[in-house]
Each structure stands twice: as structure tokens, then as C-alpha cells.
Amino acid sequence: ETQKELLRLGTPLESQGAQRQQFGKWAEQYLRLMEAAMGGQYELLPPPNKRRRLSDEEKTSEPNARLRAALRVEEEVFRKAITKAKRQIVNTKTQEEVEVGDAVQVKIGGRWHDGHVEQVNGSDIVCKEHSSTWRAKEYWRLDERPMMKEFIQANRGDELAIFPSYQVFCNLFRQCVDKWDPPTRELVRVFHDQTKLVSDYVADELNAATRVVQFIKATAAKVLDEVVENASQEVTTLQRAECRPYTQDERLFTELDKQRLRDVQAQVKAAVHTDANGRVALREVMDAVASGVLTTKDREVAEMQVALRAYLDVAVPRFADAIPMRLNDLILRTFTAEMTSELNSLTDEKLTRLMQDSEQKMTERQQLKEELACLASAEKEIELVC
């Protein structure tokens, strides 16, 4: 029993070399486990049967050490939020904030029709122009065109009305980029919190001395805060760069043509009927195209909507992919590199303070050694007598 108690206290690390060697093992293990959690190599993490014994309460709150998987889930949430933001270009209202008189579009027979709100009940409405049926939020949407007309009128520069205004386009696009800010900040926060959670968990799994575990946790928290602060500034710079539209590759023009063609096709399909053989009358097609001639203001709005949709179809996926990749480098990779530097540059004085045993532990070890020596001496005397 005395021997077991002595083993439980561990080997005394009296020399500087022994202390640095043991600390180096713990540091290497910490970094290896963090890289495994970041890289999805979960088989390298301590298996459940080898982890320290947890109480029932601790088991229920045990953090998810699969850092890569946890962050991928949050990145998908981020992408959905960014994609959702592009659907509301000018309108700042939600469907729950709709009021009587607001311009809306209602879905009837698979197509959208213009109208105005006559009655409101939560997010359900009655459209003045299309019967008195109550329509749930899935079957109507706020019409941005009246608001966009006002926006264009207020922001147009010296361009003639027949030309789309680049100034208006930029101002509208900046509003879209502004809506990307909350999801982006949330993703940065999640990277910070989840990384810290896993770092603390890994530190606890080292079975290291209490002071060493506390030191690793404190160092990781300090390094992570600095890394995330720098990453936040970098992300802000990237987002600011997006405020000025700059993509002019072939994809943009292809998307622009698709958007225009899609609108014309929808207009013709709604107005032209086919006969039993699937043929259409040329006159009906020509009339359908002619009926699509818009007023100057409506044409401005239509062209601006097409241009914005086309640009957003290119810019949104680019931004939604770029931010997670940059955060992976700016936070995870940088954090690992900085922690490696911090743990490997420990001074001898600091190392001694961390690795030396407490007075109580040294006293207990000495007492056990003396007790063990007495037992060994007694055993020899018994052997001599026998």
C-alpha cells in the first residue's frame, strides 16, 4: 500500500532537465490533440474508456471535442444567413411587421401577382386585389419595387434615366453587405468559443499537474483572444472590400443574361397558350413581348433588380466560402502556431515554478519514503531471524 501511494504521487522532478522533458511531453500531447480536433482526426483523441472518470453531471455537460465537425455545422448556418440576406435588397421589414397598404406579391397558381395589403393578422394577410382569402406567409412576400423606386430617385447621380446608375447599384449593394455583418461576427465568436472549449477540454485530458493545466488554459485563453482580435480586423477589411463591387468576370455577364432571359420567359409563358399540338401563335408571342414594355421608372427598377441579383449570385457564394476558409487560417492555424511558440519558449524560472511539487506533496512523499525504508529494514531483520 505504501508503494502504491508513492507511485500515485509520481516521480519527483528535481532536475531542470527532467522538468523540461516532462513539460515538453505534456505540451506536445496538447498540441497534437488540438491539431487532431481541428483536422478531424478524432481517432487520435482519448477514447471514452481511457478518459478520466466523470460524474453523471460532468458527462451531460462534456464538450464536443470534434472541433472541425462543430465548426462545419456553424459555417453552414453562416452560409444560410448570408444567402437569406440577399433576398432582401431594399426592404428592411419582416413579414411580421407588414402593415395595411404595403405593396406585396401573392402566389396564385404558382405565379406571383402584385397587390396591396387590406387586412393583417400576425403574418397572415388579405390582399385587396385578389379576393378576400387569408394568405399565410408562405404565399406572399413584400414587394421591394416601390421602395426601390424611391431609393433610385434619392440616390441617382447625373446619369440619364435610360442607363442603370452605378452609384445606385453600389449603394444598394452596400446595404446587402451591411446585412452580412451580424452573421460574420457570430461566426467569429463561435470560432473563439468552440476553440476555447476544446482547448480547455484537451488540457484537462493531459493528466498533468494542476498548475500546468491552469497555465496551459490561461496561455491558450490569452493567445486565442489576441488571435481572434486580429482575425476580426482582417475579416472587417475583407467585408469592407466587398462594399465596392469589383467582379467583372464572365460569370457575372452569364448570370446577367440568365436573369434577363428568365424574366422574359416567365412573361411569355404567363401570356401565351399552347394548342393541342404544343404550338403557339406568333401573334400571341409578339403581343406578350410588347405587353412587357415598362415605364421609365419601372424599367430602372427592373434593370437594377436584374443587375443586383446577377451580381449577388456571384458575390454571395464567394464571400460565404471565403470567410470560413480565412477564419480557419487566421484563428485555428495561427492559434496552434502561437501556442507552440508559447509552450516551447518557457523560461527555466517559470518552468521550475510550474513543475515543482507543493510543500504538502513533498512532505507526503518524504514520509512515504521513510515509511517504505522502515518496512524494508524490518523485512530484512525478519529474514535474518528466520
Side-chain angles (χ1 to χ4, degrees):
E1 289 297 325
T2 304
Q3 185 69 42
K4 289 181 180 179
E5 285 296 314
L6 194 59
L7 290 173
R8 182 183 60 81
L9 293 176
T11 305
L13 303 173
E14 297 172 352
S15 69
Q16 191 83 51
Q19 291 175 351
R20 189 164 291 280
Q21 183 180 20
Q22 181 59 59
F23 181 82
K25 288 180 180 179
W26 285 329
E28 182 183 358
Q29 185 183 2
Y30 168 82
L31 294 170
R32 186 174 67 252
L33 292 178
M34 284 302 297
E35 288 180 351
M38 293 176 183
Q41 297 175 297
Y42 307 128
E43 68 278 3
L44 299 180
L45 297 175
N49 60 339
K50 290 187 179 180
R51 292 177 183 163
R52 58 188 174 84
R53 298 187 64 180
L54 301 173
S55 65
D56 292 338
E57 183 178 349
E58 286 178 316
K59 286 178 182 177
T60 57
S61 61
E62 188 176 358
N64 181 10
R66 296 170 176 254
L67 181 58
R68 180 182 175 88
L71 291 178
R72 291 301 172 271
V73 171
E74 296 299 332
E75 287 170 9
E76 186 59 30
V77 173
F78 165 76
R79 288 189 180 92
K80 288 181 179 178
I82 296 296
T83 303
K84 181 181 178 181
K86 82 174 185 178
R87 300 193 192 108
Q88 291 181 317
I89 299 173
V90 179
N91 179 41
T92 57
K93 274 188 177 181
T94 65
Q95 287 183 302
E96 286 71 20
E97 297 170 331
V98 67
E99 299 175 354
V100 173
D102 283 348
V104 294
Q105 291 181 312
V106 295
K107 196 172 188 179
I108 302 174
R111 292 200 298 269
W112 293 98
H113 301 268
D114 299 338
H116 294 81
V117 178
E118 186 176 38
Q119 298 181 57
V120 178
N121 182 19
S123 60
D124 295 348
I125 66 165
V126 171
C127 184
K128 182 178 180 181
E129 290 81 358
H130 301 283
S131 74
S132 58
T133 305
W134 284 96
R135 303 179 190 278
K137 62 189 300 184
E138 294 81 10
Y139 298 97
W140 67 272
R141 64 189 182 190
L142 289 158
D143 189 356
E144 290 189 332
R145 288 174 299 177
M147 288 175 281
M148 190 172 284
K149 284 181 183 179
E150 295 178 8
F151 189 91
I152 291 174
Q153 189 67 28
N155 290 271
R156 169 172 283 286
D158 296 331
E159 303 95 341
L160 294 174
I162 59 174
F163 299 107
S165 170
Y166 180 69
Q167 178 177 322
V168 172
F169 177 85
C170 289
N171 289 340
L172 283 170
F173 184 69
R174 286 191 193 100
Q175 290 191 1
C176 296
V177 175
D178 288 343
K179 294 174 184 176
W180 299 351
D181 187 59
T184 303
R185 290 184 181 277
E186 176 63 15
L187 186 62
V188 172
R189 185 195 65 78
V190 168
F191 262 75
H192 173 278
D193 293 353
Q194 194 65 36
T195 304
K196 186 177 186 306
L197 200 67
V198 174
S199 174
D200 289 348
Y201 174 77
V202 167
D204 286 331
E205 293 297 320
L206 298 177
N207 293 321
T210 303
R211 270 181 291 190
V212 172
V213 172
Q214 291 174 346
F215 169 74
I216 291 177
K217 286 184 177 182
T219 303
K222 177 178 71 72
V223 169
L224 188 58
D225 286 344
E226 293 173 356
V227 166
V228 170
E229 178 63 28
N230 293 334
S232 297
Q233 294 176 6
E234 179 72 18
V235 167
T236 300
T237 302
L238 290 173
Q239 192 171 338
R240 194 179 298 123
E242 288 287 348
C243 288
R244 186 179 186 278
Y246 60 87
T247 297
Q248 293 198 57
D249 58 21
E250 187 176 341
R251 289 180 303 159
L252 178 59
F253 300 108
T254 301
E255 285 296 328
L256 193 59
D257 288 339
K258 285 181 180 178
Q259 294 284 351
R260 285 174 174 155
L261 183 60
R262 193 176 301 142
D263 290 343
V264 173
Q265 287 175 334
Q267 177 184 324
V268 172
K269 285 180 180 179
V272 175
H273 303 283
T274 59
D275 60 18
N277 297 317
R279 293 176 297 187
V280 298
L282 179 60
R283 170 57 59 186
E284 286 188 10
V285 175
M286 298 300 292
D287 290 343
V289 174
S291 67
V293 176
L294 303 173
T295 64
T296 301
K297 289 185 178 181
D298 287 337
R299 172 59 61 190
E300 281 186 294
V301 170
E303 285 294 317
M304 192 60 66
Q305 284 181 316
V306 167
L308 278 168
R309 286 201 301 265
Y311 190 82
L312 286 169
D313 283 345
V314 174
V316 167
R318 178 187 64 213
F319 184 79
D321 288 339
I323 292 300
M325 287 191 293
R326 290 297 293 146
L327 290 181
N328 190 73
D329 291 335
L330 293 170
I331 294 180
L332 300 186
R333 297 303 166 202
T334 305
F335 172 75
T336 304
E338 291 295 324
M339 281 300 293
T340 301
S341 176
E342 288 283 340
L343 296 178
N344 289 338
S345 61
L346 211 60
T347 63
D348 292 342
E349 182 182 356
K350 179 70 173 178
L351 181 67
T352 301
R353 289 201 304 269
L354 282 176
M355 300 299 291
Q356 70 180 4
D357 292 332
S358 64
E359 292 291 335
Q360 179 182 354
K361 192 172 183 180
M362 287 190 291
T363 302
E364 186 178 356
R365 181 183 284 112
Q366 185 61 35
Q367 289 175 348
L368 289 171
K369 282 183 178 180
E370 292 174 358
E371 184 178 338
L372 193 62
C374 288
L375 291 172
S377 177
E379 186 178 6
K380 286 182 180 180
E381 290 183 8
I382 292 172
E383 289 176 354
L384 289 173
V385 172
C386 295

